[in-house]
Amino acid sequence: MKNRPSIIVILSALVLIAVVAVALLGNVFTSHAVTSQDLLNRLKPPAFLGGPEQYPLGTDRIGRDMVARLVAGLQMSLSVALAGTLIGAVFGTIIGFLAAHFRGWIEESLMMVVDFQASLPFILIALTLLAFFGNSMVLFVILMGLFGWETYARLARGVVLSAVSQPYARAIVALGAHPLQLYVKHVLPNVAAALIVQVTLTFPQIILLETSLSFLGLGIQPPNTSLGQILGDGRDYLSTAWWISVWPGVLIFLITLSMSILGDALRDRMDPMLKTRKA
């Protein structure tokens, strides 16, 4: 009974399942194209507030269906956040493994880079790079990947140093195993749990970063769209067409909150130190 997830965790999981289902099957929920315009029905309220029935969540400033826009924005935001999270996780983990393997000045140099990255105000760096080099999807995804990689590096280094000091690792080394074989086949599976938990905690942060930059006009650019871009499009119409900004804002809130709750729950279940304290 003690191991059963709480109702909040269950609800968070259901919310994320529903969000992913909408992103994958989004075209089922609307017959309108994301770029189709209906100027005669611009800024119409949702259908439950008296708007046209063919636009259940209303329309934006040029008559585009909000359902189609939200589905396209959700797909883009999740894709960018997922790609950025995976890039940061892989890059940071590799740096952490290298620091744990090559001791001495190599480790110190790598950890100095990690500390330097952690001390930088990342949002200002991202704004500067996007303004200087211009916006492109590749650059934007790479920037998302550079966010938080130092956390993975520190975590990977710590858990690898702890794992290689265990008797099983020493026995494998004594039997003549190659270091790469030791790390990939034996150490990585033992530290994967901690890295997976960190992924669930970093993902909502990257969602917020992507939506913030897109809101400011430096993220996803038309004709593509994202939740942050839709949110930014509606800021001039908050008093007359609130639904343009409220719907993407609600989605961002639900995704980040649900992912954070699940990340905390996974950490509580998979972190051996927390289990020991509770016991």
Side-chain angles (χ1 to χ4, degrees), residues 48-65:
F48 60 85
L49 293 178
E53 294 184 359
Q54 66 266 32
Y55 301 115
L57 296 182
T59 60
D60 66 0
R61 59 188 175 85
I62 54 176
R64 292 174 295 190
D65 179 33

Side-chain angles (χ1 to χ4, degrees), residues 32-46:
H32 300 279
V34 65
T35 56
S36 64
Q37 304 176 14
D38 185 359
L39 296 178
L40 295 178
N41 284 312
R42 61 187 298 270
L43 298 177
K44 291 295 183 179

Side-chain angles (χ1 to χ4, degrees), residues 73-96:
L74 181 63
Q75 292 171 341
M76 179 61 69
S77 293
L78 291 180
S79 299
V80 171
L82 180 60
T85 301
L86 292 178
I87 291 173
V90 172
F91 179 70
T93 301
I94 292 174
I95 295 298

Side-chain angles (χ1 to χ4, degrees), residues 15-277:
V15 168
L16 289 178
I17 291 173
V19 166
V20 173
V22 170
L24 294 177
L25 306 173
N27 295 332
V28 176
F29 298 96
T30 178
S31 58
H32 300 279
V34 65
T35 56
S36 64
Q37 304 176 14
D38 185 359
L39 296 178
L40 295 178
N41 284 312
R42 61 187 298 270
L43 298 177
K44 291 295 183 179
F48 60 85
L49 293 178
E53 294 184 359
Q54 66 266 32
Y55 301 115
L57 296 182
T59 60
D60 66 0
R61 59 188 175 85
I62 54 176
R64 292 174 295 190
D65 179 33
M66 285 302 300
V67 174
R69 295 273 290 163
L70 288 171
V71 169
L74 181 63
Q75 292 171 341
M76 179 61 69
S77 293
L78 291 180
S79 299
V80 171
L82 180 60
T85 301
L86 292 178
I87 291 173
V90 172
F91 179 70
T93 301
I94 292 174
I95 295 298
F97 270 73
L98 291 175
H101 178 72
F102 296 102
R103 310 303 299 273
W105 68 270
I106 295 181
E107 179 187 20
E108 294 177 359
S109 300
L110 290 175
M111 298 314 296
M112 188 180 299
V113 174
V114 169
D115 293 336
F116 179 75
Q117 168 72 15
S119 66
L120 293 175
F122 188 82
I123 185 68
L124 296 181
I125 300 299
L127 288 172
T128 302
L129 291 176
L130 289 172
F132 184 77
F133 291 105
N135 191 291
S136 70
M137 183 63 69
V138 175
L139 175 61
F140 190 64
V141 172
I142 291 175
L143 281 176
M144 296 301 100
L146 292 178
F147 176 78
W149 69 265
E150 71 278 1
T151 304
Y152 294 100
R154 287 174 173 169
L155 178 62
R157 173 182 171 272
V159 293
V160 169
L161 288 176
S162 176
V164 296
S165 65
Q166 300 298 319
Y168 78 89
R170 294 178 180 176
I172 293 172
V173 172
L175 292 174
H178 191 274
L180 184 61
Q181 182 181 5
L182 169 66
Y183 290 135
V184 174
K185 290 188 176 181
H186 303 282
V187 176
L188 184 59
N190 289 328
V191 304
L195 296 175
I196 291 173
V197 170
Q198 185 58 43
V199 166
T200 62
L201 297 176
T202 304
F203 186 85
Q205 298 177 13
I206 295 184
I207 282 278
L208 291 176
L209 177 63
E210 181 275 320
T211 53
S212 299
L213 292 173
S214 296
F215 177 83
L216 295 173
L218 292 172
I220 303 300
Q221 300 295 315
N224 296 318
T225 187
S226 72
L227 295 179
Q229 186 192 74
I230 300 172
L231 191 67
D233 288 343
R235 60 188 165 188
D236 295 330
Y237 301 93
L238 287 174
S239 60
T240 56
W242 54 264
W243 51 89
I244 299 177
S245 290
V246 167
W247 300 139
V250 169
L251 272 177
I252 294 169
F253 171 76
L254 290 176
I255 293 171
T256 54
L257 178 62
S258 301
M259 200 69 184
S260 297
I261 291 174
L262 283 181
D264 288 338
L266 280 175
R267 182 182 59 184
D268 293 342
R269 283 178 171 269
M270 302 175 74
D271 192 329
M273 294 299 295
L274 291 177
K275 292 180 180 179
T276 302
R277 291 174 186 174

